Amino acid sequence: MLFSDDIELFYRLGVAIAIGVIVGVERHWRERDEPGGSRTAGIRTFSLIGMLGGAVGLLEGAVADHGGPTGLVTVGAFIAFAIVFAWFKARESEIDRDFSVTTVIAALLTFLLGTMAVMGEMQVAAAGGVALVAILASREMLHRFLKTLTWPELRSAIVLLGMTFVILPLVPDEPIGPYGGISPAKTWTLVVLLAAISFVGYVAVKALGASRGEVVAGAIGGIVSSTALTVSNARKSLAGNEIRPLAAGAAAAGAVSYLRTAALAAGLAPAIMTSMVPPLVAGAAVFIAAAFLLARGQGGTAEPPPGENPFDLMSVLKLTLLLVVVAFLSRAASAVFGAGGLFIVSGLSGLADVDAVTVTVGGLLKQGLAADTGFLALSAGVIANTVAKAVYAAVLGKSGFAWWLGLASALAIAAGAAIHLAVLAIQASG
């Protein structure tokens, strides 16, 4: 049997009808001022289209259960529906002089999603219905976006998509070289991430203004790599972009990085959670305050200059090379020093990434490493990463950008240290 019970059958059919209803609401609302009988399809018609797709799915299931040919009912019903609906829509278009095919495509998708809700993945069908309505309802926003889209932006988006979906799958994943080597696939992934961070930052600044846009871009970049975001913003500061918004974005990335490390420490190293999480949260709070204050600085409403490239591929490749070299040297140091040089290895690894240090310390704690030693090793990685980002800002960016980020970083480290001492004092008194 296709369905486990009648309740599931009715539930699936209800989802098919609901997909038609939500699509019909959007289509009817868009033509709500039209007189009755002047539109091809509104809320009732689309509700019936969803129900029709679900009914076809039921018939298809019944035929399959009795050993009939699979797919014949669905294909035949879909072709018949497409011909009839397109004919009615064509007549309406001739009268209204409106030759949009959007409603036809929406009707065909509603039919297919209704069939999928009954026959296949019900959750996927429901998500598809929501996505369909979102696309239909965003017509004005998409039209405004296309009117403001420039050729450098379109070209950069195409390049980024090509880097992600064409080149990345072809790059080999096997590491090359000693000490774990360098994986071409992971290296190219870092190229894509750096380009994506720059592109997201550009879009955010264009949509929200420099202050809010850079903070949002920094928070998003911090989820991926706060180090990469900081290096990218340092480069942009040299290109003439406003310093305070860029520093605000780097501070937001630092805050997210601290919070992410706290979450990883809680999950991977619970033995040091109580001593590690409070200082990280305190440091994140300082970074958040710095980002807020810097975002309120002068000149925070500017947009990118017309024709500016969202990301420069050569600059992205150079930044990737820098981060890959640092990561490779960190692994080499780890192989040379071994477990005995845990603090040195943690500090060196923190020059590029804190996640690797967190995972390593979490594994060693499960193998019997003392909690105090694990806390100091992870702290060394966090501090090294924070200081390294300030150094990258000084070397690769303008002095003003480096000064603001360096000050925020120093205050964040100081706040974390103060909270740690307070926790120790509370534990000693208890």
Side-chain angles (χ1 to χ4, degrees):
M1 293 294 291
L2 180 63
F3 307 107
S4 59
D5 51 47
D6 291 339
I7 295 178
E8 181 184 354
L9 186 152
F10 283 111
Y11 184 64
R12 286 177 174 271
L13 185 59
V15 171
I17 297 172
I19 292 172
V21 170
I22 60 174
V23 177
V25 167
E26 194 282 332
R27 292 286 86 187
H28 200 125
W29 175 83
R30 192 166 293 281
E31 299 180 359
R32 61 192 182 279
D33 295 329
E34 299 294 328
S38 64
R39 67 177 70 90
T40 300
I43 183 172
R44 290 184 302 168
T45 303
F46 271 94
S47 300
L48 292 174
I49 292 172
M51 187 175 184
L52 176 63
V56 169
L58 292 176
L59 290 175
E60 185 70 56
V63 171
D65 286 344
H66 289 82
T70 303
L72 185 61
V73 173
T74 301
V75 172
F78 177 76
I79 293 175
F81 169 73
I83 293 173
V84 172
F85 191 88
W87 182 78
F88 272 97
K89 184 61 181 174
R91 293 195 61 186
E92 178 189 344
S93 298
E94 291 177 0
I95 296 173
D96 296 342
R97 308 298 297 173
D98 178 10
F99 299 101
S100 172
V101 76
T102 302
T103 300
V104 176
I105 301 300
L108 298 181
L109 284 173
T110 302
F111 179 95
L112 292 175
L113 290 171
T115 304
M116 183 188 297
V118 172
M119 287 288 298
E121 296 291 337
M122 183 170 50
Q123 293 82 359
V124 175
V130 174
L132 173 58
V133 173
I135 294 172
L136 292 172
S138 60
R139 184 184 71 174
E140 287 77 11
M141 181 187 70
L142 291 174
H143 287 182
R144 287 195 302 268
F145 169 75
L146 288 175
K147 287 181 180 179
T148 61
L149 186 65
T150 64
W151 167 242
E153 295 165 357
L154 178 60
R155 179 187 59 200
S156 297
I158 295 172
V159 170
L160 182 58
L161 290 174
M163 292 165 57
T164 306
F165 298 106
V166 178
I167 299 178
L168 183 58
L170 302 178
V171 179
D173 191 39
E174 287 297 322
I176 301 173
Y179 305 117
I182 296 175
S183 168
K186 292 181 179 179
T187 301
W188 190 254
T189 300
L190 184 57
V191 173
V192 172
L193 291 176
L194 281 169
I197 287 172
S198 296
F199 193 87
V200 168
Y202 178 92
V203 173
V205 170
K206 184 173 181 178
L208 304 174
S211 295
R212 290 180 295 175
E214 291 293 355
V215 171
V216 171
I220 296 173
I223 298 174
V224 180
S225 172
S226 61
T227 304
L229 185 283
T230 302
V231 172
S232 178
N233 278 15
R235 179 185 63 83
K236 289 197 290 187
S237 71
L238 284 179
N241 296 61
E242 295 187 45
I243 290 175
R244 284 191 173 219
L246 291 172
V256 173
S257 175
Y258 272 35
L259 294 175
R260 186 185 63 187
T261 303
L264 287 174
L268 301 176
I272 60 173
M273 181 178 66
T274 55
S275 57
M276 196 75 221
V277 172
L280 287 172
V281 172
V286 170
F287 272 129
I288 291 173
F292 176 77
L293 293 174
L294 288 169
R296 297 184 61 183
Q298 296 179 353
T301 59
E303 296 183 359
E308 180 184 349
N309 193 354
F311 66 88
D312 180 6
L313 185 57
M314 288 305 300
S315 297
V316 168
L317 292 173
K318 292 177 183 178
L319 298 180
T320 302
L321 179 62
L322 169 66
L323 296 179
V324 168
V325 168
V326 171
F328 176 77
L329 292 177
S330 300
R331 289 196 302 272
S334 177
V336 171
F337 291 112
L342 179 60
F343 297 137
I344 298 176
V345 171
S346 297
L348 291 174
S349 299
L351 297 178
D353 183 34
V354 183
D355 291 349
V357 181
T358 308
V359 174
T360 301
V361 170
L364 291 175
L365 285 170
K366 293 179 181 179
Q367 297 174 12
L369 181 70
D372 291 344
T373 304
F375 167 77
L376 292 175
L378 184 52
S379 298
V382 172
I383 294 173
N385 184 255
T386 305
V387 173
K389 286 183 289 190
V391 172
Y392 297 151
V395 174
L396 303 173
K398 279 191 175 181
S399 58
F401 174 79
W403 191 91
W404 286 115
L405 183 60
L407 177 61
S409 300
L411 293 175
I413 293 174
I419 292 298
H420 175 62
L421 293 175
V423 170
L424 291 179
I426 293 173
Q427 291 175 347
S429 62

